[in-house]
Amino acid sequence: MNRKDIPRIIISRLPVYLRTLQRLQQEGRQTISSQTLGEILGTTAAQIRKDISQFGEFGKQGTGYNIPYLVEQLQHILHLDDIWDVAVVGIGDLGHALARYQGFVDRGFRITALFDNDPEKIGRQIQGLTIEDASLIPSRIPELGIKIAMLTVPVSVAQQTADVLVRAGVRGILNYAPIHLNLPEGVCIEHIDPAIGLQRMTYYIGQRKG
Amino acid sequence: MNRKDIPRIIISRLPVYLRTLQRLQQEGRQTISSQTLGEILGTTAAQIRKDISQFGEFGKQGTGYNIPYLVEQLQHILHLDDIWDVAVVGIGDLGHALARYQGFVDRGFRITALFDNDPEKIGRQIQGLTIEDASLIPSRIPELGIKIAMLTVPVSVAQQTADVLVRAGVRGILNYAPIHLNLPEGVCIEHIDPAIGLQRMTYYIGQRKG
């Protein structure tokens, strides 16, 4: 199967497999069966085998997957061989928390630029990085070769800020503003909205309450 | 169709429809066609009509959906008629940002309890709420009638903290710790992990780079 034809839903599960396999690797485990991995992840062995087999033959009948090898292969498939530089745009409470978060580097990402339009914030430092004027995005993003941004600006300016980022060369946006953004074809977007997560649960919790 | 049989993937899209419809309502719009709603959301009119029709006949041929009515119906389906009380457990940078976030009430949620186990933090106030000792979770959660928690503790204690919350009566956990949690059947979980979102994009961005 051509890699371009692999369903998006399968791609979306690979980072979840990778996260668990990396943790098992840190714990010193060498091999795992699709059965056990399925139990850890609350899914079936069949689904894991089917998903992973899209990319080649990584498991052995009887012994299962070699964890360090599968981690390496998943990192390669997801283009995580090198660290990606990321910009955080909008340094409010959440942008600040993301800028200080230490967990990105192990997962393939390094925050290398911070932008805000508030004169009170511009020039301040977080973890050694200086908050830059958002009006410099068009020159600084290409200069730094940044392809990915986390967008943590207010809803009212989210679309226009995303447009500026895309024109500057950004090809993937992790959008924290609770609004659907329209981006040109070929630009990736993932949304993070805690209220959506909460509302996905209340459908079920409310049924049992009633 | 019995509501219990409605596929999870459809339920997961309803909050996204609701968010957009609420914004349109705030802008004063009264009606919308499935066609236009599909364009706004980057999906098809057919999918929107199919999803919404699972719950009844809400649109009219020719005029489309009445926005205020559909908002009300979606809120009712998702059990958002009343505001849900939510606890934030783990008041680091992210927990702090969530506690200060003003956008939950309009979406059906109110943060009414904060917990941490750090003596330096216990007793401090955020937005008028006092950070309480996490050891009080078993008594305070049922006392406050809280059914939903946002979990923002370190990976190393995420599973055990989730277990304590579930024993105290929590029925839905929005998990920010980058680890898969195993919870008893009947407890809902949604994961928020920005690195997963980023890795879902690099698969595609990296293909175009190479």
Side-chain angles (χ1 to χ4, degrees), chain B residues 25 35 64 127 191:
Chain B
Q25 188 176 16
Q35 184 70 38
Q127 305 276 103
H191 297 272

Side-chain angles (χ1 to χ4, degrees), chain A residues 3 48 76 107:
Chain A
R3 286 215 177 164
I48 288 170
H76 183 66
R107 317 276 298 276

Side-chain angles (χ1 to χ4, degrees), chain A residues 13-66:
Chain A
R13 286 192 287 257
L14 300 184
V16 180
Y17 299 159
L18 177 60
R19 182 176 68 182
T20 297
L21 290 163
Q22 281 185 304
R23 189 168 53 80
L24 293 167
Q25 187 177 16
Q26 278 162 17
E27 291 168 2
R29 258 184 100 146
Q30 282 296 313
T31 60
I32 193 164
S33 67
S34 52
Q35 184 69 39
T36 309
L37 189 55
E39 279 161 22
I40 292 173
L41 289 170
T43 182
T44 64
Q47 173 156 91
I48 288 170
R49 280 199 304 268
K50 195 184 143 214
D51 286 354
I52 291 176
S53 70
Q54 303 279 329
F55 303 92
E57 206 41 75
F58 298 122
K60 270 189 201 154
Q61 196 74 33
T63 61
Y65 298 109
N66 175 302

Side-chain angles (χ1 to χ4, degrees), chain B residues 68-83:
Chain B
Y69 180 70
L70 187 53
V71 163
E72 201 184 290
Q73 291 301 312
L74 284 172
Q75 285 175 328
H76 183 67
I77 291 164
L78 294 170
H79 303 112
L80 300 170
D81 311 282
D82 296 320
I83 304 268

Side-chain angles (χ1 to χ4, degrees), chain A residues 83-95:
Chain A
I83 304 268
W84 292 78
D85 291 324
V86 176
V88 180
V89 183
I91 313 297
D93 286 327
L94 178 62

Side-chain angles (χ1 to χ4, degrees), chain B residues 94-161:
Chain B
L94 179 62
H96 200 269
L98 289 170
R100 282 170 52 88
Y101 180 59
Q102 299 296 305
F104 287 121
V105 171
D106 287 346
R107 318 277 298 275
F109 305 92
R110 182 174 45 210
I111 293 172
T112 53
L114 309 175
F115 295 100
D116 202 288
N117 64 1
D118 179 352
E120 291 281 307
K121 290 178 185 163
I122 295 163
R124 288 199 193 173
Q125 292 221 335
I126 304 174
Q127 305 276 103
L129 278 181
T130 303
I131 302 174
E132 300 185 65
D133 188 333
S135 70
L136 300 177
I137 287 172
S139 59
R140 290 290 284 155
I141 290 284
E143 205 170 291
L144 296 164
I146 289 175
K147 296 285 169 210
I148 298 178
M150 302 199 219
L151 190 61
T152 53
V153 299
V155 163
S156 55
V157 296
Q159 181 67 56
Q160 70 195 64
T161 309

Side-chain angles (χ1 to χ4, degrees), chain A residues 12-203:
Chain A
S12 78
R13 286 192 287 257
L14 300 184
V16 180
Y17 299 159
L18 177 60
R19 182 176 68 182
T20 297
L21 290 163
Q22 281 185 304
R23 189 168 53 80
L24 293 167
Q25 187 177 16
Q26 278 162 17
E27 291 168 2
R29 258 184 100 146
Q30 282 296 313
T31 60
I32 193 164
S33 67
S34 52
Q35 184 69 39
T36 309
L37 189 55
E39 279 161 22
I40 292 173
L41 289 170
T43 182
T44 64
Q47 173 156 91
I48 288 170
R49 280 199 304 268
K50 195 184 143 214
D51 286 354
I52 291 176
S53 70
Q54 303 279 329
F55 303 92
E57 206 41 75
F58 298 122
K60 270 189 201 154
Q61 196 74 33
T63 61
Y65 298 109
N66 175 302
I67 294 174
Y69 180 71
L70 187 53
V71 163
E72 201 183 290
Q73 291 302 311
L74 285 172
Q75 286 175 327
H76 183 66
I77 290 164
L78 294 169
H79 303 111
L80 301 170
D81 310 282
D82 296 320
I83 304 268
W84 292 78
D85 291 324
V86 176
V88 180
V89 183
I91 313 297
D93 286 327
L94 178 62
H96 200 269
L98 290 170
R100 282 170 51 87
Y101 179 58
Q102 298 297 305
F104 286 121
V105 171
D106 287 347
R107 317 276 298 276
F109 305 92
R110 183 174 44 210
I111 294 172
T112 52
L114 309 175
F115 295 100
D116 203 288
N117 65 1
D118 180 352
E120 291 280 308
K121 290 178 185 164
I122 294 164
R124 287 199 193 174
Q125 292 221 335
I126 303 173
Q127 305 276 103
L129 277 182
T130 303
I131 302 174
E132 300 184 64
D133 187 334
S135 70
L136 300 177
I137 287 173
S139 59
R140 291 290 285 155
I141 291 283
E143 205 170 292
L144 296 164
I146 290 174
K147 297 286 170 208
I148 299 179
M150 303 199 218
L151 191 61
T152 53
V153 299
V155 164
S156 55
V157 295
Q159 180 68 55
Q160 69 196 65
T161 309
D163 292 340
V164 169
L165 286 165
V166 169
R167 277 197 299 272
V170 163
R171 286 296 163 259
I173 293 179
L174 189 69
N175 174 36
Y176 282 85
I179 184 175
H180 182 88
L181 298 180
N182 289 298
L183 299 177
E185 204 163 330
V187 178
C188 297
I189 185 150
E190 291 280 332
H191 296 270
I192 292 197
D193 181 344
I196 295 273
L198 295 170
Q199 292 176 346
R200 283 177 179 157
M201 299 194 286
T202 55
Y203 174 81

